[in-house]
Amino acid sequence: MKKILASACALAMCMGVSAMAVGCNGGNDTKGVTLVEVSSDDVGRVDGISYYVVPEPAATAKVKALTAAGTEYANVASLQQLYGEESYPQAVLVAKKSLIENDGAFVNKFLTEYAGTANWLEAQTSYAEIVTAINSHGGTTLKAPMLSATVVKNCNIYFKKAADAKQGILSYMNSVNAINSAMFGQCEDAFFCDVDSISATTVNESKTTVSVYMPDGAPALSMAKMMCVSPDVGKTLDFHVVAANTINSCVTYSDEANNADLCVLPVNAAAKLLGNGSKYQLLGGVTHGNLFIISSDGTSLTADNLPQKLEGKRVGVVNLSAVPGLTFKMILNKYDIEYTQGSV
């Protein structure tokens, strides 16, 4: 009899523990999304991660590589499409205020040539020359086979004047600041250059060579035309392609002579470091939403199914603490999807 009672008690305890486990861990009822920081090399290689947020052109390259290795991956969503509003800005072009004021003739010539980048890229059919040019100015992770008309289109590269980009930038800043108020500084009106009012003359031509810095990836592609065509803008252009995690230093040296004359920066870094407009001004937007979600689940993610498909999933994000992570969190907030941060 005692043995029977003991067995019954043990069974009851086990059932109770099982019920608690389901209640606490949720089983299939786990709520929200768990975000995990991953490196580019980790994409597609971490157990338990269903989706990855990756910028182009790396996103398409990863899809091809993973599929070729035996696990079929697909691009299942564009964060820009899920955002569903005016394109959010990712990278912007800034110039030293002194350059704008002293040599407006050069700045106007540069912007005229630079504004043609989107059409020039669209017309390209061979990308070896582009990669060679970018590589010769500091090195790049880009490879010609990574690029295609679709990939270039996905990078959303086009120049949008500061006046036209201003509202989109401020709207994006407000959304991101709601997630992390430390990511953006205060953008003063003086930060946004009125490009159409830049003087067409040279007041004081202080230099014959202008330095142009940009991070690797899509921002470097935005300067591909300028590197390959070498347009006549009245000065020698000295291009520098640097790692994304070092680009901020190119505008923050105490010796201002060492800082970039022109620089492509992530929009949050530009606003935080230079937003008062005293040393640099924003000329315009450069890349506009080149973040994508890739997955071995080939079902496309849409505004209608996003909450359901992401529920209880782990999502790996390249640069979770920077623009990619903040933008994805902004999307999750838009669709009222709860999230927490975990680890690999």
Side-chain angles (χ1 to χ4, degrees):
M1 183 65 178
K2 290 181 179 180
K3 289 183 177 180
I4 294 174
L5 289 174
S7 297
C9 289
L11 178 60
M13 289 177 66
C14 288
M15 292 178 65
V17 169
S18 297
M20 288 174 64
V22 172
C24 294
N25 296 327
N28 293 328
D29 297 326
T30 302
K31 298 297 182 183
V33 177
T34 301
L35 306 180
V36 178
E37 171 85 36
V38 297
S39 69
S40 182
D41 289 340
D42 289 333
V43 173
R45 299 180 177 180
V46 182
D47 291 339
I49 291 184
S50 304
Y51 299 94
Y52 293 89
V53 177
V54 189
E56 280 285 30
T60 296
K62 286 294 179 182
V63 166
K64 290 181 179 179
L66 291 167
T67 300
T71 303
E72 188 169 347
Y73 265 72
N75 182 335
V76 296
S78 159
L79 264 59
Q80 175 55 58
Q81 291 179 351
L82 293 173
Y83 186 57
E85 301 175 25
E86 181 183 3
S87 60
Y88 62 84
Q90 255 181 263
V92 295
L93 176 66
V94 301
K96 279 183 175 176
K97 188 175 181 179
S98 58
L99 181 67
I100 297 171
E101 292 176 343
N102 293 330
D103 204 347
F106 159 75
V107 175
N108 279 312
K109 289 178 181 178
F110 181 91
L111 291 181
T112 296
E113 294 290 343
Y114 189 55
T117 296
N119 289 336
W120 183 85
L121 283 171
E122 186 178 353
Q124 302 309 300
T125 56
S126 175
Y127 301 98
E129 180 185 0
I130 291 175
V131 172
T132 297
I134 295 174
N135 203 45
S136 68
H137 292 289
T140 181
T141 56
L142 297 174
K143 307 294 181 185
M146 292 171 61
L147 302 176
S148 66
T150 298
V151 171
V152 171
K153 182 178 179 180
N154 285 348
C155 287
N156 266 325
I157 296 169
Y158 58 90
F159 181 70
K160 191 172 188 177
K161 295 177 183 178
D164 298 327
K166 182 177 180 179
Q167 189 53 51
I169 290 173
L170 294 177
S171 177
Y172 178 75
M173 284 176 59
N174 288 336
S175 297
V176 170
N177 278 337
I179 300 167
N180 184 347
S181 60
M183 288 308 298
F184 279 95
Q186 184 67 36
C187 266
E188 305 290 344
D189 286 342
F191 181 51
F192 296 92
C193 178
D194 184 357
V195 172
D196 292 331
S197 296
I198 295 176
S199 172
T201 61
T202 297
V203 177
N204 179 20
E205 188 174 18
S206 57
K207 54 174 61 182
T208 57
T209 299
V210 173
S211 62
V212 186
Y213 283 77
M214 73 219 74
D216 190 17
L221 274 178
S222 80
M223 287 289 173
K225 172 179 179 286
M226 307 297 281
M227 295 179 190
C228 292
V229 176
S230 300
D232 181 10
V233 292
K235 293 182 185 293
T236 299
L237 299 175
D238 184 18
F239 295 104
H240 301 267
V241 180
V242 303
N245 61 359
T246 66
I247 190 63
N248 290 6
S249 66
C250 299
V251 294
T252 55
Y253 289 112
S254 57
D255 183 353
E256 294 184 18
N258 292 324
N259 287 322
D261 295 310
L262 292 159
C263 189
V264 178
L265 286 166
V267 62
N268 65 306
K272 187 171 184 178
L273 298 173
L274 312 170
N276 63 12
S278 63
K279 296 180 180 179
Y280 283 86
Q281 286 185 301
L282 185 145
L283 296 175
V286 173
T287 64
H288 312 264
N290 65 323
L291 293 168
F292 292 82
I293 302 175
I294 68 172
S295 176
S296 57
D297 177 352
T299 305
S300 295
L301 299 180
T302 67
D304 293 329
N305 70 8
L306 188 69
Q308 176 189 2
K309 294 296 292 184
L310 292 187
E311 185 70 28
K313 299 298 195 299
R314 283 162 55 85
V315 179
V317 183
V318 177
N319 292 323
L320 178 58
S321 62
V323 167
L326 291 168
T327 303
F328 187 55
K329 290 175 183 177
M330 179 180 69
I331 298 296
L332 295 177
N333 284 346
K334 176 182 175 70
Y335 291 93
D336 295 321
I337 301 172
E338 297 179 3
Y339 61 85
T340 57
Q341 291 190 198
S343 57
V344 176

